[in-house]
Amino acid sequence: MGGNAVGQPHRLRFLEYGLTILIVITLNFLLPRVIPGDPFLVISSQSAAEEEIVLTAEQREFFFDYYGLDKSIGEQYVAYLGGLLRGNLGFSLYYKEPVSRIIMRRLGWTAFMVVSSLVLSTIIGSVLGCISAWHRDKWPDKFLFFKFIVLAEIPVFLLGLIILFVFAAGLGLFPLAGAVTHFARYKNCWEKIFDVLHHACLPVLVLTISRMGGMYLLSRNSMTTVLKKDYLRTARAKGLPERRVLYRHALRNALLPIVTRVFLSLGTLIGGAILVENVFAYPGLGLLMREAVRLHDYHLIQGIFLVVTLLVLLANFFADLVYAKLDPRVNQTNMQGG
Amino acid sequence: MAGTYASLQKLLKKCREFSLLGKISLLIILLIFLAAVWAPYISLHSHKISSGPALLPPGKGHPLGTDDLGIDLWAQLCHGARISLIVGFGTAFLAALGGGLVGIIAGYAGGWVDKVIMRLIDIMIVLPDFPLMIVLAAFLGPSVLNIIIVLALFSWVFPARIVRAQILMLKEHSFIKAAETYGAGAWYLLWKHFLPAVFPLMAVNMIRQTGRAIVSEAGLSFLGLGDPTSKSWGLIINHATSFRGIYFTEFWKWWLLYPWLALTLIVLSLAFISRELERIVNPRL
């Protein structure tokens, strides 16, 4: 669903996304049923460690009945789909709360982190990429290129760990964990905003750096290709000032692939966010997912997975729409094709 | 088979064209590989049993110090290299094998089979892989084999696409057509013509997949989804970061730093090697 199907009519694309969503939901439904073992048994057989959940026989009975595990698989599937449509993602065994409510509470932090690093990395990465392309093979390009190749390859959680230990633990410049200071009393709302930003600084920075490399390489490539085009020679031949040629003619065309990448890279970025949240104990969905894994809270794990996947799919769909709007050539093929 | 062997030789010869960075990377991978192979001989202490006081800084007897249980860190790193390399190469191999097979089927069969496979690949590309890996690993339970299977499930897409594209291109060539008219079967064509042609690209891709698999394994272990008996590098980091007070003491300067360094070095080296090879095999990129 990347670039290869861009020229297809929208209705077909819509169908494809629908199919993907259905597959994800079916996978989510089948996983606990196909894999050998019994989640309730796992929970009830474990020794009562500090925070483990232990189920009594009655509770076990209740959950079997509640999830309709004694019904046929077809009936279960229909019931599951119906529940999802009503926004029912299941019930968390540990938090004793509907999964959807827990997720809604945590989603904001993840979204804040992902969106801000998405914006920052896109701007910084593409600006540096363009500068690099304009000075291709001179020292600014060589310097930036090497630096970004290294940065692009360092895994995000390793980068996070070293930054955490150097800047927060070693130098004490930033808070070690969390998104706000606990039990803090703020004099005014500016102090609160400062506190939130201070906590978000390192996680956002790490996520930004990890994605900036890819953005930089993409925009450098894109700009280099555009710079070789005939219409730029024409623009120069018309006697336009270099500044106008670069910003009006080259930049506009070079930005096209960057815009789609903003949405398409969301899947990888969310994977990174999950790890970064765990490095900095940032209270978003990623941290929640690790807690859920540790506590064997399968409904919570699956709920988070479903929400994250749907968001990513939505972003991809949006990318297709934006691309069609931005690139007139796509619209043309659309008309011919459909 | 001879053709594949020849293209492997050609690829190895190309390593001489590496830049300095590429050569250093190659050396690092070689050293890590040797450390993994000779792990029981070069580690002075056991990697499982306590061999000194807890949290000893690097020094005499324990070159990299010890962890909270007094287990020698150097021994843990050497044995951890085995896990990382097994997971990395195992995943890459499995992904190349599975992906290659899927690509061959799609490219050779064509028609609706090809269409179904391509749709499946499209779906795999948009799915956010890391959250799904967490879900699968959580359900399958932690073991090295499960981790390899889960990682391979998300790595076959690229090999499949390369192989399919190559086969579609080769199928139209006159020498393949000629071989077919002489009665060459699918199996013969595969070994004699298709495999040698796709091998260089696949080999380069496998190196990249190895790096990605090592990173993913470390990430999963860091989240507590790794094999608890394996002591991989990610698991050492997981132990170190969940140690209470790691942030307020000096312990991280060896307990966390050395596994961190090992992981970063192996991942960067693999990335540089695949980048160099990509440049040589496919100069357009």
Side-chain angles (χ1 to χ4, degrees):
Chain A
M1 289 183 194
N4 58 339
V6 155
Q8 289 175 12
H10 281 314
R11 202 174 302 158
L12 203 72
R13 309 279 305 127
F14 204 73
L15 248 165
E16 266 183 35
Y17 279 103
L19 187 71
T20 313
I21 289 171
L22 197 68
I23 288 178
V24 169
I25 289 174
T26 311
L27 192 73
N28 221 2
F29 166 80
L30 284 179
L31 258 179
R33 289 165 175 84
V34 167
I35 284 168
D38 173 351
F40 300 116
L41 198 71
V42 169
I43 298 162
S44 50
S45 71
Q46 240 145 25
S47 60
E50 36 178 342
E51 282 166 303
E52 294 288 357
I53 318 153
V54 182
L55 291 184
T56 61
E58 279 159 39
Q59 280 172 318
R60 206 175 125 78
E61 200 85 340
F62 168 76
F63 281 120
F64 258 79
D65 189 50
Y66 180 80
Y67 294 112
L69 290 179
D70 38 4
K71 294 199 192 94
S72 80
I73 200 108
E75 274 176 293
Q76 286 181 36
Y77 188 55
V78 171
Y80 179 73
L81 285 183
L84 279 185
L85 282 179
R86 273 178 270 121
N88 178 11
L89 290 172
F91 194 82
S92 162
L93 290 174
Y94 176 72
Y95 291 93
K96 311 274 187 291
E97 230 184 313
V99 166
S100 48
R101 211 187 300 160
I102 307 173
I103 290 179
M104 285 314 283
R105 214 167 38 223
R106 299 286 200 103
L107 186 63
W109 291 115
T110 305
F112 167 60
M113 200 171 88
V114 166
V115 169
S116 41
S117 53
L118 197 69
V119 172
L120 281 175
S121 62
T122 306
I123 294 174
I124 302 174
S126 47
V127 165
L128 289 179
C130 290
I131 291 176
S132 216
W134 291 338
H135 301 276
R136 192 158 181 134
D137 291 331
K138 291 189 200 115
W139 70 265
D141 175 47
K142 276 183 186 158
F143 175 72
L144 285 171
F145 189 68
F146 179 70
K147 220 170 157 172
F148 274 101
I149 278 191
V150 174
L151 278 183
E153 300 291 356
I154 292 186
V156 61
F157 80 99
L158 293 180
L159 190 70
L161 276 175
I162 206 72
I163 285 185
L164 173 71
F165 274 89
V166 171
F167 289 99
L171 299 173
L173 293 175
F174 292 93
L176 279 168
V180 285
T181 312
H182 288 296
F183 311 115
R185 290 213 186 119
Y186 303 111
K187 282 190 210 109
N188 49 35
C189 83
W190 291 112
E191 218 173 45
K192 187 174 180 186
I193 291 175
F194 174 77
D195 191 43
V196 168
L197 288 181
H198 195 212
H199 278 83
C201 228
L202 289 187
V204 170
L205 177 79
V206 169
L207 214 51
T208 304
I209 292 177
S210 80
R211 209 184 75 103
M212 215 155 61
M215 252 14 240
Y216 164 83
L217 291 177
L218 180 75
S219 63
R220 180 174 177 268
N221 251 348
S222 167
M223 187 50 108
T224 313
T225 328
V226 168
L227 284 178
K228 283 180 196 146
K229 290 267 158 85
D230 285 341
Y231 54 78
L232 274 197
R233 191 177 304 152
T234 315
R236 286 211 176 91
K238 280 196 297 189
L240 291 177
E242 188 66 17
R243 197 164 271 278
R244 196 179 161 83
V245 171
L246 286 185
Y247 287 100
R248 284 299 291 270
H249 293 249
L251 196 60
R252 270 180 108 173
N253 289 294
L255 279 180
L256 209 70
I258 296 172
V259 171
T260 39
R261 180 67 83 84
V262 169
F263 297 101
L264 291 178
S265 64
L266 208 67
T268 337
L269 198 61
I270 283 188
I274 290 177
L275 285 165
V276 169
E277 278 177 16
N278 280 293
V279 170
F280 292 97
Y282 203 74
L285 289 182
L287 197 65
L288 188 66
M289 204 166 187
R290 185 192 192 177
E291 282 166 27
V293 166
R294 193 170 59 86
L295 300 164
H296 299 288
D297 199 336
Y298 290 100
H299 283 260
L300 196 51
I301 304 176
Q302 290 195 291
I304 298 169
F305 164 67
L306 203 62
V307 168
V308 164
T309 309
L310 289 185
L311 287 178
V312 170
L313 287 177
L314 206 68
N316 275 281
F317 186 60
F318 198 64
D320 280 349
L321 292 183
V322 170
Y323 196 82
K325 277 266 183 300
L326 279 181
D327 193 346
R329 283 168 300 184
V330 177
N331 277 333
Q332 267 173 17
T333 43
N334 260 352
M335 295 213 204
Q336 284 161 6
Chain B
M1 203 59 216
T4 316
Y5 183 68
S7 58
L8 178 66
Q9 256 184 341
K10 219 194 275 172
L11 205 63
L12 283 178
K13 240 177 226 165
K14 287 277 167 72
C15 290
R16 286 196 197 138
E17 293 172 30
F18 271 21
S19 65
L20 182 66
L21 205 62
K23 279 178 183 155
I24 293 172
S25 306
L26 215 54
L27 188 72
I28 289 172
I29 294 296
L30 201 69
L31 286 178
I32 293 175
F33 184 73
L34 288 177
V37 170
W38 300 108
Y41 303 100
I42 55 170
S43 54
L44 307 164
H45 302 279
S46 162
H47 68 290
K48 283 185 172 156
I49 307 166
S50 164
S51 57
L55 294 164
L56 209 63
K60 225 176 163 192
H62 298 278
L64 301 184
T66 59
D67 69 1
D68 61 333
L69 297 173
I71 305 173
D72 185 51
L73 210 59
W74 167 247
Q76 286 189 50
L77 281 187
C78 291
H79 286 268
R82 289 182 164 187
I83 308 292
S84 281
L85 289 179
I86 287 173
V87 168
F89 286 116
T91 306
F93 185 72
L94 209 62
L97 207 69
L101 204 66
V102 170
I104 288 167
I105 293 171
Y108 207 73
W112 66 268
V113 177
D114 184 34
K115 275 202 182 113
V116 168
I117 289 175
M118 287 315 282
R119 274 293 90 79
L120 192 67
I121 287 178
D122 280 347
I123 289 172
M124 290 300 291
I125 290 172
V126 278
L127 283 183
D129 50 358
F130 199 68
L132 191 50
M133 275 185 210
I134 294 177
V135 172
L136 283 176
F139 274 107
L140 286 172
S143 86
V144 172
L145 186 67
N146 283 348
I147 294 261
I148 292 177
I149 292 172
V150 168
L151 293 181
L153 272 179
F154 291 94
S155 317
W156 60 270
V157 168
F158 197 71
R161 276 175 30 163
I162 305 176
V163 170
R164 177 181 170 273
Q166 285 282 328
I167 287 197
L168 283 184
M169 195 186 76
L170 285 175
K171 237 170 43 174
E172 301 308 314
H173 272 292
S174 49
F175 67 91
I176 299 282
K177 294 241 150 106
E180 268 175 343
T181 49
Y182 279 118
W187 195 243
Y188 176 86
L189 285 177
L190 188 67
W191 279 113
K192 206 73 186 171
H193 295 294
F194 292 144
L195 216 57
V198 297
F199 185 77
L201 273 174
M202 286 284 273
V204 173
N205 180 247
M206 268 174 79
I207 292 172
R208 186 157 279 276
Q209 301 277 14
T210 306
R212 284 190 49 200
I214 290 173
V215 171
S216 302
E217 189 274 337
L220 287 176
S221 294
F222 173 68
L223 291 185
L225 284 165
D227 187 345
T229 59
S230 72
K231 276 274 175 190
S232 71
W233 292 341
L235 210 65
I236 302 176
I237 292 180
N238 176 20
H239 281 313
T241 49
S242 44
F243 179 72
R244 277 168 217 274
I246 184 90
Y247 301 108
F248 308 108
T249 52
E250 301 283 279
F251 304 148
W252 68 272
K253 284 185 181 160
W254 61 93
W255 192 7
L256 189 85
L257 190 65
Y258 292 120
W260 183 90
L261 207 62
L263 264 174
T264 309
L265 275 179
I266 195 171
V267 168
L268 280 184
S269 306
L270 284 171
F272 284 140
I273 292 173
S274 67
R275 220 173 255 280
E276 297 266 312
L277 282 175
E278 258 162 33
R279 189 171 52 89
I280 294 166
V281 171
N282 198 352
R284 269 186 312 110
L285 287 175

